[in-house]
PDB file of all heavy atoms in Angstrom:
ATOM      1  N   GLU A 227     -56.816 122.848-143.054  1.00 98.00           N
ATOM      2  CA  GLU A 227     -57.479 122.699-141.749  1.00 98.00           C
ATOM      3  C   GLU A 227     -58.529 123.778-141.493  1.00 98.00           C
ATOM      4  O   GLU A 227     -59.347 123.654-140.593  1.00 98.00           O
ATOM      5  CB  GLU A 227     -56.454 122.736-140.617  1.00 98.00           C
ATOM      6  CG  GLU A 227     -55.475 121.579-140.599  1.00 98.00           C
ATOM      7  CD  GLU A 227     -54.369 121.694-141.654  1.00 98.00           C
ATOM      8  OE1 GLU A 227     -54.192 122.796-142.228  1.00 98.00           O
ATOM      9  OE2 GLU A 227     -53.704 120.672-141.911  1.00 98.00           O
ATOM     10  N   GLN A 228     -58.498 124.842-142.269  1.00 98.00           N
ATOM     11  CA  GLN A 228     -59.436 125.950-142.047  1.00 98.00           C
ATOM     12  C   GLN A 228     -60.760 125.749-142.760  1.00 98.00           C
ATOM     13  O   GLN A 228     -61.696 126.513-142.542  1.00 98.00           O
ATOM     14  CB  GLN A 228     -58.822 127.260-142.561  1.00 98.00           C
ATOM     15  CG  GLN A 228     -57.729 127.823-141.696  1.00 98.00           C
ATOM     16  CD  GLN A 228     -57.155 129.069-142.349  1.00 98.00           C
ATOM     17  OE1 GLN A 228     -56.239 129.008-143.149  1.00 98.00           O
ATOM     18  NE2 GLN A 228     -57.738 130.209-142.034  1.00 98.00           N
ATOM     19  N   VAL A 229     -60.829 124.775-143.682  1.00 98.00           N
ATOM     20  CA  VAL A 229     -62.063 124.564-144.425  1.00 98.00           C
ATOM     21  C   VAL A 229     -62.653 123.221-143.994  1.00 98.00           C
ATOM     22  O   VAL A 229     -61.997 122.436-143.301  1.00 98.00           O
ATOM     23  CB  VAL A 229     -61.809 124.579-145.955  1.00 98.00           C
ATOM     24  CG1 VAL A 229     -61.051 125.817-146.371  1.00 98.00           C
ATOM     25  CG2 VAL A 229     -61.062 123.335-146.414  1.00 98.00           C
ATOM     26  N   TYR A 230     -63.885 122.974-144.393  1.00 99.00           N
ATOM     27  CA  TYR A 230     -64.456 121.641-144.164  1.00 99.00           C
ATOM     28  C   TYR A 230     -64.598 120.978-145.529  1.00 99.00           C
ATOM     29  O   TYR A 230     -65.133 121.578-146.474  1.00 99.00           O
ATOM     30  CB  TYR A 230     -65.806 121.720-143.448  1.00 99.00           C
ATOM     31  CG  TYR A 230     -66.246 120.345-142.994  1.00 99.00           C
ATOM     32  CD1 TYR A 230     -65.759 119.806-141.809  1.00 99.00           C
ATOM     33  CD2 TYR A 230     -67.103 119.572-143.770  1.00 99.00           C
ATOM     34  CE1 TYR A 230     -66.123 118.516-141.406  1.00 99.00           C
ATOM     35  CE2 TYR A 230     -67.467 118.289-143.371  1.00 99.00           C
ATOM     36  CZ  TYR A 230     -66.968 117.777-142.194  1.00 99.00           C
ATOM     37  OH  TYR A 230     -67.312 116.505-141.797  1.00 99.00           O
ATOM     38  N   ILE A 231     -64.095 119.750-145.639  1.00 98.00           N
ATOM     39  CA  ILE A 231     -64.074 119.048-146.930  1.00 98.00           C
ATOM     40  C   ILE A 231     -64.929 117.788-146.846  1.00 98.00           C
ATOM     41  O   ILE A 231     -64.767 116.981-145.917  1.00 98.00           O
ATOM     42  CB  ILE A 231     -62.623 118.651-147.323  1.00 98.00           C
ATOM     43  CG1 ILE A 231     -61.699 119.872-147.271  1.00 98.00           C
ATOM     44  CG2 ILE A 231     -62.607 118.018-148.704  1.00 98.00           C
ATOM     45  CD1 ILE A 231     -60.222 119.545-147.530  1.00 98.00           C
ATOM     46  N   ALA A 232     -65.818 117.635-147.792  1.00 98.00           N
ATOM     47  CA  ALA A 232     -66.672 116.431-147.838  1.00 98.00           C
ATOM     48  C   ALA A 232     -66.921 116.069-149.300  1.00 98.00           C
ATOM     49  O   ALA A 232     -66.514 116.793-150.214  1.00 98.00           O
ATOM     50  CB  ALA A 232     -67.989 116.696-147.112  1.00 98.00           C
ATOM     51  N   ASN A 233     -67.587 114.968-149.489  1.00 98.00           N
ATOM     52  CA  ASN A 233     -67.892 114.495-150.839  1.00 98.00           C
ATOM     53  C   ASN A 233     -69.385 114.222-150.988  1.00 98.00           C
ATOM     54  O   ASN A 233     -70.094 114.021-149.995  1.00 98.00           O
ATOM     55  CB  ASN A 233     -67.148 113.174-151.102  1.00 98.00           C
ATOM     56  CG  ASN A 233     -65.685 113.388-151.438  1.00 98.00           C
ATOM     57  OD1 ASN A 233     -65.344 114.231-152.263  1.00 98.00           O
ATOM     58  ND2 ASN A 233     -64.823 112.638-150.776  1.00 98.00           N
ATOM     59  N   ILE A 234     -69.827 114.156-152.217  1.00 98.00           N
ATOM     60  CA  ILE A 234     -71.212 113.734-152.513  1.00 98.00           C
ATOM     61  C   ILE A 234     -71.441 112.317-151.986  1.00 98.00           C
ATOM     62  O   ILE A 234     -72.460 112.038-151.364  1.00 98.00           O
ATOM     63  CB  ILE A 234     -71.461 113.782-154.046  1.00 98.00           C
ATOM     64  CG1 ILE A 234     -71.325 115.216-154.586  1.00 98.00           C
ATOM     65  CG2 ILE A 234     -72.791 113.141-154.418  1.00 98.00           C
ATOM     66  CD1 ILE A 234     -72.435 116.151-154.199  1.00 98.00           C
ATOM     67  N   LEU A 235     -70.489 111.419-152.238  1.00 98.00           N
ATOM     68  CA  LEU A 235     -70.579 110.044-151.727  1.00 98.00           C
ATOM     69  C   LEU A 235     -69.561 109.818-150.619  1.00 98.00           C
ATOM     70  O   LEU A 235     -68.434 110.302-150.694  1.00 98.00           O
ATOM     71  CB  LEU A 235     -70.285 109.018-152.832  1.00 98.00           C
ATOM     72  CG  LEU A 235     -71.275 108.852-153.976  1.00 98.00           C
ATOM     73  CD1 LEU A 235     -70.903 107.608-154.790  1.00 98.00           C
ATOM     74  CD2 LEU A 235     -72.711 108.771-153.496  1.00 98.00           C
ATOM     75  N   LYS A 236     -69.949 109.029-149.628  1.00 98.00           N
ATOM     76  CA  LYS A 236     -69.041 108.701-148.514  1.00 98.00           C
ATOM     77  C   LYS A 236     -68.294 107.385-148.744  1.00 98.00           C
ATOM     78  O   LYS A 236     -67.442 107.021-147.947  1.00 98.00           O
ATOM     79  CB  LYS A 236     -69.823 108.588-147.196  1.00 98.00           C
ATOM     80  CG  LYS A 236     -70.737 109.769-146.883  1.00 98.00           C
ATOM     81  CD  LYS A 236     -69.975 111.060-146.770  1.00 98.00           C
ATOM     82  CE  LYS A 236     -70.862 112.193-146.303  1.00 98.00           C
ATOM     83  NZ  LYS A 236     -70.623 113.447-147.057  1.00 98.00           N
ATOM     84  N   SER A 237     -68.667 106.661-149.785  1.00 98.00           N
ATOM     85  CA  SER A 237     -68.008 105.386-150.081  1.00 98.00           C
ATOM     86  C   SER A 237     -67.469 105.421-151.507  1.00 98.00           C
ATOM     87  O   SER A 237     -68.077 106.028-152.400  1.00 98.00           O
ATOM     88  CB  SER A 237     -68.992 104.214-149.958  1.00 98.00           C
ATOM     89  OG  SER A 237     -69.531 104.153-148.662  1.00 98.00           O
ATOM     90  N   ARG A 238     -66.352 104.730-151.706  1.00 98.00           N
ATOM     91  CA  ARG A 238     -65.727 104.732-153.027  1.00 98.00           C
ATOM     92  C   ARG A 238     -66.490 103.856-154.013  1.00 98.00           C
ATOM     93  O   ARG A 238     -66.724 102.675-153.735  1.00 98.00           O
ATOM     94  CB  ARG A 238     -64.289 104.204-152.914  1.00 98.00           C
ATOM     95  CG  ARG A 238     -63.583 104.211-154.245  1.00 98.00           C
ATOM     96  CD  ARG A 238     -62.273 103.459-154.196  1.00 98.00           C
ATOM     97  NE  ARG A 238     -61.596 103.560-155.484  1.00 98.00           N
ATOM     98  CZ  ARG A 238     -60.740 102.676-155.954  1.00 98.00           C
ATOM     99  NH1 ARG A 238     -60.425 101.618-155.227  1.00 98.00           N
ATOM    100  NH2 ARG A 238     -60.182 102.857-157.120  1.00 98.00           N
ATOM    101  N   PRO A 239     -66.845 104.401-155.177  1.00 98.00           N
ATOM    102  CA  PRO A 239     -67.390 103.539-156.225  1.00 98.00           C
ATOM    103  C   PRO A 239     -66.265 102.688-156.819  1.00 98.00           C
ATOM    104  O   PRO A 239     -65.155 103.187-157.002  1.00 98.00           O
ATOM    105  CB  PRO A 239     -67.931 104.532-157.273  1.00 98.00           C
ATOM    106  CG  PRO A 239     -67.959 105.862-156.590  1.00 98.00           C
ATOM    107  CD  PRO A 239     -66.872 105.827-155.561  1.00 98.00           C
ATOM    108  N   PRO A 240     -66.547 101.419-157.133  1.00 98.00           N
ATOM    109  CA  PRO A 240     -65.500 100.550-157.672  1.00 98.00           C
ATOM    110  C   PRO A 240     -64.860 101.158-158.919  1.00 98.00           C
ATOM    111  O   PRO A 240     -65.558 101.723-159.759  1.00 98.00           O
ATOM    112  CB  PRO A 240     -66.241  99.258-158.025  1.00 98.00           C
ATOM    113  CG  PRO A 240     -67.595  99.365-157.434  1.00 98.00           C
ATOM    114  CD  PRO A 240     -67.862 100.780-157.058  1.00 98.00           C
TER     115      PRO A 240
END
Side-chain angles (χ1 to χ4, degrees):
E227 295 76 14
Q228 286 177 272
V229 308
Y230 191 82
I231 307 175
N233 281 313
I234 297 289
L235 291 191
K236 309 300 187 223
S237 301
R238 181 191 183 206

